[in-house]
Amino acid sequence: MSSNEAGQLGLATWRKASFCASGECVEVAQQDGVIILRDSVQPQGNMLHYAAREWRSFVGTIKAGELDGLDS
């Protein structure tokens, strides 16, 4: 990631679940139609980027319970 990209991501509004008490959480932001995920413990580390439609599909799958039976 270039320093310019890092600076732009610094302007993103990062959110995490309200029940994240431990501080070790996944944070999410939206920028330019892209959903970005990062580790709250290592905010400058690797980030995952998804198109908004991919993210909506993933969240819809979770809300529908389609992943409830997966083994860990």
Side-chain angles (χ1 to χ4, degrees):
M1 173 182 325
S2 72
S3 61
N4 188 36
E5 290 172 319
Q8 290 175 353
L9 286 175
L11 299 176
T13 301
W14 292 95
R15 297 183 296 161
K16 58 185 165 188
S18 59
F19 56 87
C20 178
S22 69
E24 297 177 1
C25 308
V26 173
E27 295 179 324
V28 63
Q30 180 175 350
Q31 187 171 22
D32 299 326
V34 175
I35 307 301
I36 310 162
L37 302 176
R38 71 179 184 184
D39 182 346
S40 64
V41 176
Q42 297 180 351
Q44 301 304 321
N46 292 332
M47 297 178 199
L48 301 173
H49 298 78
Y50 297 95
R53 72 182 182 296
E54 292 173 312
W55 182 252
R56 282 192 302 272
S57 176
F58 174 68
V59 171
T61 298
I62 292 171
K63 287 182 176 183
E66 296 177 27
L67 302 176
D68 289 353
L70 294 179
D71 293 335
S72 52

